[in-house]
């Protein structure tokens, strides 16, 4: 029966035998390699050499040397490289960079140094410092756990030029005079906070802000194109300070090593991003601008259309007519209001049809309302009734009609608010003619009164009557062609109806108030902006 110790000894023996077999299969090469000399171990797979184990190389001029290990033709573990004074230590895992990375120039870290860390080929962090030949220095870091990374360029320990990268996006720079403490340039550090917040806003709203669209432009390294010799790296100041560090981490080997020296190293594609620049998306911005302009044109069209509709309403006509007077004195403005309302009475209203009173103590009169000033069309008018209550007693043989003297706007329709009620005698011994009105005048603003005619005291066809300012009643009869004039008397409680055959009273519509309406049309109402007045946005 095997004990545990016996099993351990057997396992060690098997491993030693296996290793011996493997070692027995490896061959060692020492000789010319990539314009220099190399020593390495390998195994053969047909005609191919599979690097396995240690590798060392020195160029013929002694300027390049490297050493490290291969596992199955892939670089693995720590590799040390010296190239023209640039000393690197790179950790690999199966050909990909994994672990710590550092580079320095010569043996003096005050000239150049890079310290970084990779995980399976991905850069986790980086710290960089370099002094140029003319005394300038560049330093900075990449840290994905920090939102903002700062790269600085300092000249003669006086001016400090900082570049700010927020979440991998270049957002701006600052210039600081170390001798005076003054900030020059366009931005200060506190501005970078605002720009960072702006970047977050853009990201949140799909890179659109205030009608403009933006996009991230990939900024690739152009630094290697500026180099003619490796040592030029100390005299070239790049546009983006992180270009030098990224150049050494990503491009240094590919640009200056032969393919043989890159063997076993996972190729790093030269499409890495130094940073992103935020630029205007001209295509989207143009399209958005055109969309806004189209909407604005449509809005203006609808606005003009609605204004036109509004100005065709009675209220719109009133506002438009009064606007030129709203900046004048209160007296001029009030006179303009009264003049306009009188003009609407001319255009829109007729007296009522005559009514024979008989024994009635109240009647309903019907006023004619013209539409859009089209008097000649049958459908251009409508009628609205008003009740005339408390007709004076003693007028049984009289007829009556009402003449509007004031109107108000209700729901965009003019409504009679005040009128003169005319009573004329129709019985034996009185005015025996039945008159029909071709026209009627009251204070020079009421025209076009047309009356119906029947046996109950309506005015005779082809007759004309009118009332003057002093309430004189006049009629011109075309048959038998004579003129009749008589004064009108105001009915009072003491009127006995003996002195005249024509009387009048003043009537107010109890449903509406002329004074309230006039007070509602204020200068402020008339001067409202288009947006307020027409309810446009």
């Amino acid at each position: 029966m095997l004990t545990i110790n016996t099993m351990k000894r057997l396992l060690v023996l098997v491993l030693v035998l296996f290793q011996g077999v493997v070692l027995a299969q490896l061959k060692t090469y020492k000789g010319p390699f990539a314009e220099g000399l190399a020593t390495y171990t390998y195994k053969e797979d047909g005609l191919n050499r599979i690097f396995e184990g240690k590798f060392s190389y020195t160029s013929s001029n002694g300027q390049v040397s490297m050493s490290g290990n291969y596992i199955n033709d892939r670089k693995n573990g720590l590799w040390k490289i010296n190239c023209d004074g640039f000393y690197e230590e790179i950790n690999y895992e199966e050909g990909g960079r994994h672990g710590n990375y550092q580079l320095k120039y010569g043996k003096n870290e005050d000239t150049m140094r890079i310290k970084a860390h990779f995980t399976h080929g991905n850069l986790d962090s980086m710290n960089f410092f370099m002094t140029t030949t003319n005394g300038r220095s560049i330093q900075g870091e990449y840290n994905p756990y920090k939102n903002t990374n700062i790269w600085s360029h300092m000249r003669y320990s006086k001016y400090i030029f900082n570049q700010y990268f927020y979440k991998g996006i270049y957002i701006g720079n600052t210039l600081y005079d170390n001798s005076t403490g003054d900030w020059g340039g366009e931005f200060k550090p506190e501005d970078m906070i605002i720009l960072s917040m702006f970047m977050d806003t853009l990201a949140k709203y799909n890179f659109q802000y205030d009608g403009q669209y933006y996009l991230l432009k990939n900024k690739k390294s152009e630094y290697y194109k500026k180099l003619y010799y490796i040592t030029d790296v100390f005299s070239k100041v790049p546009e983006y300070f992180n270009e030098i560090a990224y150049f050494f981490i990503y491009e240094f080997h590919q640009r200056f090593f032969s393919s043989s020296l890159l063997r076993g190293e996972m190729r790093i594609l030269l499409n890495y991003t130094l940073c992103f620049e935020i630029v205007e998306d001209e295509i989207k911005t143009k399209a958005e601008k055109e969309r806004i302009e189209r909407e604005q044109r449509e809005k203006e069209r609808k606005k003009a259309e609605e204004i036109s509709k509004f100005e065709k309403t009675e209220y719109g006509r009133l506002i438009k007519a009064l606007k030129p007077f709203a900046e004048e004195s209160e007296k001029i403005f009030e006179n303009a209001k009264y003049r306009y309302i009188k003009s609407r009475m001319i255009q829109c209203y007729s007296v009522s049809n005559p009514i024979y009173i008989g024994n009635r103590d109240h009647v309903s009169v019907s006023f004619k309302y013209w539409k859009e000033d089209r008097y000649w069309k049958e459908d251009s008018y409508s009628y609205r009734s008003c009740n005339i209550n408390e007709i004076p007693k003693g007028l049984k043989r009289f007829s009556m009609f009402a003449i509007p003297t004031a109107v108000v706007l209700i729901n965009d329709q003019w409504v009679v608010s005040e009128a003169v009620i005319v009573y004329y005698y129709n019985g034996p011994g009185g005015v025996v003619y039945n008159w029909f009105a071709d026209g009627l005048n009251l204070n020079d603003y009421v025209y076009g009164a047309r009356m119906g005619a029947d046996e109950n005291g309506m005015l005779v066809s082809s007759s004309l009557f009118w009332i003057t300012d002093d309430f004189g009643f006049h009629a011109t009869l075309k048959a038998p062609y004579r003129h009749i004039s008589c004064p009108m008397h105001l009915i009072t409680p003491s009127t006995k109806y003996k002195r005249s055959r024509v009387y009048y009273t003043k009537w107010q519509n109890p449903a509406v108030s002329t004074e309230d309406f006039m007070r509602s049309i204020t200068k402020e109402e008339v001067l409202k902006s288009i947006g307020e007045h027409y309810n446009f946005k």
Side-chain angles (χ1 to χ4, degrees):
M1 185 175 181
L2 295 176
T3 64
I4 294 178
N5 290 333
T6 303
M7 292 177 65
K8 287 183 177 179
R9 285 195 297 271
L10 289 173
L11 180 60
V12 171
L13 178 61
V14 171
L15 292 174
V16 170
L17 291 174
F18 176 76
Q19 186 177 15
V21 172
V22 173
L23 291 174
Q25 293 176 343
L26 293 180
K27 296 180 180 181
T28 300
Y29 172 83
K30 185 175 182 180
F33 188 90
E35 299 181 353
L37 297 175
T39 300
Y40 60 85
T41 56
Y42 67 96
K43 57 186 178 181
E44 292 182 339
D45 182 8
L47 298 177
N48 297 320
R49 289 185 176 183
I50 306 299
F51 284 18
E52 187 78 34
K54 293 182 179 180
F55 176 92
S56 63
Y57 166 83
T58 302
S59 64
S60 57
N61 60 10
Q63 292 182 345
V64 179
S65 65
M66 64 174 61
S67 63
N69 283 276
Y70 282 98
I71 294 180
N72 198 26
D73 220 34
R74 296 289 183 91
K75 289 181 179 178
N76 206 72
L78 177 63
W79 278 70
K80 296 181 179 181
I81 302 169
N82 195 329
C83 179
D84 264 344
F86 293 97
Y87 178 76
E88 279 186 300
E89 290 186 358
I90 309 173
N91 283 279
Y92 291 95
E93 185 178 274
E94 296 184 351
R97 299 187 182 189
H98 183 75
N100 291 327
Y101 170 94
Q102 68 172 340
L103 177 143
K104 60 183 179 180
Y105 183 74
K107 301 208 178 191
N108 185 356
E109 291 189 356
D110 289 336
T111 303
M112 174 183 281
R113 67 172 182 268
I114 301 176
K115 293 184 179 180
H117 188 275
F118 288 86
T119 299
H120 301 301
N122 295 316
L123 180 63
D124 295 328
S125 61
M126 175 181 62
N127 187 283
F128 175 83
F129 177 84
M130 184 188 78
T131 301
T132 62
T133 54
N134 58 5
R136 302 176 180 180
S137 65
I138 297 175
Q139 60 185 2
E141 67 170 4
Y142 165 74
N143 188 335
Y145 301 104
K146 287 185 177 181
N147 284 333
T148 304
N149 290 289
I150 305 174
W151 286 72
S152 299
H153 167 223
M154 185 166 59
R155 179 178 182 179
Y156 305 128
S157 299
K158 180 179 180 182
Y159 297 107
I160 300 176
F161 186 39
N162 289 335
Q163 293 181 339
Y164 292 78
F165 300 86
Y166 180 75
K167 295 182 179 179
I169 302 170
Y170 177 74
I171 57 173
N173 59 73
T174 59
L175 180 64
Y176 179 71
D177 188 335
N178 201 33
S179 63
T180 64
D182 295 330
W183 291 97
E186 184 179 359
F187 298 113
K188 295 181 181 180
E190 52 265 30
D191 296 325
M192 298 304 153
I193 298 175
I194 298 174
L195 290 172
S196 300
M197 294 171 64
F198 177 68
M199 292 308 306
D200 286 337
T201 301
L202 286 182
K204 182 178 180 181
Y205 294 103
N206 196 27
F207 289 88
Q208 185 271 339
Y209 181 80
D210 196 23
Q212 283 188 304
Y213 285 83
Y214 299 85
L215 54 82
L216 295 178
K217 182 179 180 181
N218 189 333
K219 182 63 179 178
K220 296 182 179 180
S221 177
E222 299 289 333
Y223 186 70
Y224 72 90
K225 295 181 181 179
K226 304 174 184 177
L227 299 180
Y228 297 95
Y229 303 100
I230 294 177
T231 51
D232 279 351
V233 70
F234 296 108
S235 60
K236 302 289 182 182
V237 177
E239 180 180 359
Y240 292 88
F241 301 153
N242 58 1
E243 278 191 274
I244 301 176
Y246 282 23
F247 170 78
F248 277 96
I249 286 180
Y250 290 112
E251 298 188 56
F252 182 54
H253 293 177
Q254 279 79 2
R255 295 296 169 187
F256 299 104
F257 288 0
S258 66
S259 59
S260 298
L261 296 179
L262 294 174
R263 178 168 178 163
E265 184 174 320
M266 296 289 288
R267 295 294 188 268
I268 300 176
L269 299 178
L270 301 182
N271 62 353
Y272 63 88
T273 300
L274 291 173
C275 62
F276 289 97
E277 291 179 308
I278 184 72
V279 297
E280 182 179 353
D281 189 331
E282 295 182 357
I283 296 176
K284 281 190 176 181
T285 298
K286 181 181 178 182
E288 178 68 7
K289 181 180 179 182
E290 291 175 350
R291 183 190 68 80
I292 292 174
E293 288 176 350
R294 285 195 304 271
E295 289 184 353
Q296 186 63 30
R297 287 194 298 270
E298 180 63 15
K299 183 178 179 181
E300 292 297 328
R301 185 192 68 78
K302 289 183 178 180
K303 179 178 176 180
E305 185 178 278
E306 292 299 321
I307 291 175
S308 177
K309 288 181 181 178
F310 177 82
E311 290 181 345
K312 289 179 181 178
T313 65
E314 289 299 332
Y315 186 70
R317 291 172 179 175
L318 171 64
I319 295 298
K320 185 178 180 181
L322 295 180
K323 197 173 286 289
F325 302 96
E327 299 289 351
E328 303 292 339
S329 67
E330 199 66 38
K331 182 177 180 180
I332 292 176
F333 180 67
E334 289 298 316
N335 288 336
K337 285 196 292 185
Y338 281 102
R339 285 197 306 272
Y340 181 81
I341 291 174
K342 287 182 180 182
S343 73
R344 297 316 295 160
M345 291 176 63
I346 293 173
Q347 297 174 22
C348 301
Y349 294 96
S350 168
V351 297
S352 70
N353 286 332
I355 299 172
Y356 187 70
I357 297 174
N359 293 318
R360 288 179 287 187
D361 59 359
H362 67 275
V363 296
S364 178
V365 297
S366 183
F367 292 106
K368 183 182 289 187
Y369 289 74
W370 298 100
K371 300 177 182 177
E372 301 182 9
D373 308 332
R374 299 178 300 171
Y375 300 119
W376 59 90
K377 292 186 178 181
E378 289 298 324
D379 63 347
S380 65
Y381 59 85
S382 62
Y383 290 94
R384 185 173 300 129
S385 297
C386 290
N387 290 324
I388 307 295
N389 298 318
E390 299 180 0
I391 293 177
K393 295 179 181 180
L395 298 176
K396 290 182 180 181
R397 294 183 180 274
F398 281 70
S399 293
M400 62 168 285
F401 59 89
I403 304 171
T405 56
V407 291
V408 298
L409 261 181
I410 302 295
N411 296 326
D412 204 48
Q413 291 184 328
W414 291 106
V415 176
V416 175
S417 60
E418 296 177 7
V420 170
I421 309 299
V422 177
Y423 302 93
Y424 60 95
Y425 185 66
N426 231 5
V431 180
V432 297
Y433 303 103
N434 291 331
W435 300 330
F436 180 89
D438 277 334
L440 178 67
N441 245 320
L442 178 65
N443 296 334
D444 296 325
Y445 60 76
V446 177
Y447 296 94
R450 291 190 176 274
M451 306 282 179
D454 61 22
E455 67 278 7
N456 292 321
M458 301 301 102
L459 302 179
V460 172
S461 177
S462 300
S463 296
L464 172 68
F465 74 91
W466 66 97
I467 298 173
T468 56
D469 290 344
D470 59 357
F471 290 97
F473 184 87
H474 306 270
T476 298
L477 308 181
K478 294 186 178 180
Y481 303 103
R482 52 185 290 226
H483 178 78
I484 297 175
S485 297
C486 60
M488 295 172 58
H489 294 281
L490 178 66
I491 292 180
T492 67
S494 61
T495 298
K496 300 302 180 180
Y497 311 114
K498 293 180 179 179
R499 291 179 299 171
S500 172
R501 297 299 184 177
V502 184
Y503 298 89
Y504 73 94
T505 59
K506 294 181 179 180
W507 174 80
Q508 289 187 338
N509 190 337
V512 294
S513 168
T514 303
E515 293 302 318
D516 288 347
F517 172 70
M518 297 298 285
R519 281 196 297 268
S520 70
I521 308 302
T522 63
K523 288 184 176 183
E524 291 75 18
E525 179 72 9
V526 172
L527 289 174
K528 279 183 179 178
S529 66
I530 290 178
E532 292 175 310
H533 215 67
Y534 304 144
N535 197 25
F536 296 139
K537 296 180 179 180

